[in-house]
């Protein structure tokens, strides 16, 4: 058997071992998406609306609707213009648009799901959750000689979420990147997420004269500009401020 075949077999076995172990030891934090069905609706590209209990599988980019007659329908982003459901755990309606967006690596445009965190007349704040990616550390040593099978803890599952500020012209300004990194069912860092501000001045750029007040509000209420749900609360305060001024 050639060294390339050995490598591919080793890779396949290690990945299968990873998923098997994750299922047997404890529930994976990101491999198993939230299967809770919540009341909501989807809007198809032809304008038709379907109401039912909605499940969003962000791992694979699929929206599932359970109808009253127990029928189930599944949709990808290309078949929808939007969908929404009420998240009782967050105490708010979660709304999503389906929009074309260029892949950061290839530049090819694909239709992606964007969650609406907040909408204003001048701008909107959207979040895009990427599908799961498997990262393997396999390297070829020497002249096409594969290394021995890596410990499955070297196999990592990654999911990235990016928060954007979007102006009226449709310009996307990336603000925050959230990354969950998991190894064999274990979260890599203590908090489960790596949070990185991409452009620190974006929040101030869009909230302008009220940014100092928002900064003070966040400090008083122990809110973080790096947390998605906290960002929603800070933007709720921005909505209040612009309404009274």
């Amino acid at each position: 058997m050639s060294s390339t075949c050995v490598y591919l077999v080793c890779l396949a076995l290690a990945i299968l071992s990873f998923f098997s172990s994750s299922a047997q030891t404890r529930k994976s934090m990101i491999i198993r998406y939230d299967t809770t069905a919540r009341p909501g609706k989807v809007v198809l590209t032809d304008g038709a609306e379907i109401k039912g209990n909605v499940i969003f599988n962000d791992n694979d980019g699929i929206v599932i609707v359970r109808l009253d007659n127990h029928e189930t329908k599944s949709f990808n982003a290309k078949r929808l213009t939007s969908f929404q459901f009420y998240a009782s755990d967050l105490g708010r309606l979660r709304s999503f648009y389906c929009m074309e967006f260029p892949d950061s690596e290839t530049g090819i445009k694909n239709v992606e799901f964007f969650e609406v965190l907040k909408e204003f007349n001048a701008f909107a704040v959207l979040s895009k959750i990427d599908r799961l990616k498997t990262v393997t550390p396999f390297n070829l040593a020497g002249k096409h000689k594969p290394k021995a099978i890596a410990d499955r803890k070297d196999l990592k599952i990654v999911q990235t979420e990016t928060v954007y500020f979007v102006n009226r012209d449709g310009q996307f300004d990336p603000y925050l990147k959230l990354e969950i990194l998991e190894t064999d069912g274990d979260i890599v860092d203590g908090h489960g997420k790596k949070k990185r501000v991409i452009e620190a001045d974006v929040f101030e750029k869009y909230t302008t004269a009220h940014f100092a007040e928002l900064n003070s509000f966040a400090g008083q209420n122990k809110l973080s500009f790096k947390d998605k749900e906290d960002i929603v609360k800070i933007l709720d305060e921005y909505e209040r401020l612009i309404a009274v001024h």
Side-chain angles (χ1 to χ4, degrees):
M1 184 181 291
S2 70
S3 61
T4 302
C5 290
V6 172
Y7 167 72
L8 292 175
V9 170
C10 292
L11 176 60
L13 289 174
I15 292 175
L16 287 173
S17 176
F18 173 88
F19 282 102
S20 175
S21 173
S22 295
Q24 293 173 9
T25 55
R26 71 167 180 79
K27 283 189 176 182
S28 164
M29 295 294 290
I30 58 176
I31 294 174
R32 297 190 178 185
Y33 64 92
D34 185 0
T35 58
T36 305
R38 299 176 170 92
K41 69 176 182 179
V42 300
V43 180
L44 279 59
T45 52
D46 62 3
E49 292 187 2
I50 301 176
K51 295 182 179 180
N53 290 311
V54 177
I55 301 171
F56 179 34
N57 176 353
D58 56 42
N59 291 0
D60 299 320
I62 298 293
V63 178
I64 302 164
V65 184
R66 292 178 179 170
L67 307 179
D68 291 338
N69 61 1
H70 304 296
E71 183 183 358
T72 298
K73 295 181 178 289
S74 299
F75 306 92
N76 60 25
K78 291 182 179 179
R79 297 184 61 195
L80 301 176
T81 59
S82 65
F83 73 94
Q84 61 182 216
F85 58 84
Y86 184 78
S88 56
D89 54 331
L90 301 176
R92 65 179 176 87
L93 187 71
R94 295 185 66 184
S95 298
F96 297 77
Y97 290 135
C98 303
M99 298 183 292
E100 279 195 344
F101 195 77
D103 184 278
S104 59
E105 296 178 359
T106 65
I108 298 174
K109 286 187 176 181
N110 296 308
V111 181
E112 305 284 355
F113 291 118
F114 286 85
E115 181 175 5
V116 181
L117 301 185
K118 204 71 181 176
E119 282 186 286
F120 303 99
N121 289 332
F123 67 93
V125 182
L126 309 178
S127 169
K128 181 171 73 72
I129 302 177
D130 294 337
R131 299 180 187 182
L132 291 186
K133 290 184 179 179
T134 303
V135 180
T136 58
F138 287 89
N139 295 310
L140 295 179
K143 292 185 178 180
H144 306 293
K145 275 189 175 181
K147 294 174 68 176
I149 283 186
D151 187 285
R152 65 169 173 262
K153 290 202 173 207
D154 290 331
L155 287 168
K156 297 178 176 63
I157 301 297
V158 180
Q159 188 167 47
T160 302
E161 181 173 5
T162 308
V163 175
Y164 297 90
F165 281 69
V166 187
N167 65 20
R168 284 181 176 179
D169 297 325
Q171 176 185 328
F172 282 73
D173 285 324
Y175 167 65
L176 178 68
K177 181 163 285 188
L178 309 171
E179 184 179 84
I180 301 178
L181 183 60
E182 185 173 312
T183 302
D184 191 24
D186 294 323
I187 295 298
V188 171
D189 70 347
H191 300 289
K193 285 187 178 180
K194 293 182 177 180
K195 305 174 183 181
R196 178 171 64 87
V197 173
I198 302 172
E199 293 291 343
D201 62 345
V202 167
F203 210 113
E204 184 174 3
K205 169 186 171 182
Y206 279 85
T207 57
T208 56
H210 296 297
F211 182 73
E213 293 170 276
L214 294 178
N215 203 26
S216 176
F217 172 81
Q220 291 171 3
N221 292 277
K222 297 181 179 179
L223 301 176
S224 171
F225 284 88
K226 292 184 179 182
D227 182 273
K228 187 171 74 170
E229 288 307 315
D230 284 357
I231 288 172
V232 173
K233 294 174 183 176
I234 294 169
L235 291 171
D236 284 342
E237 173 64 9
Y238 175 70
E239 185 175 39
R240 188 193 69 81
L241 290 172
I242 60 176
V244 298
H245 285 77

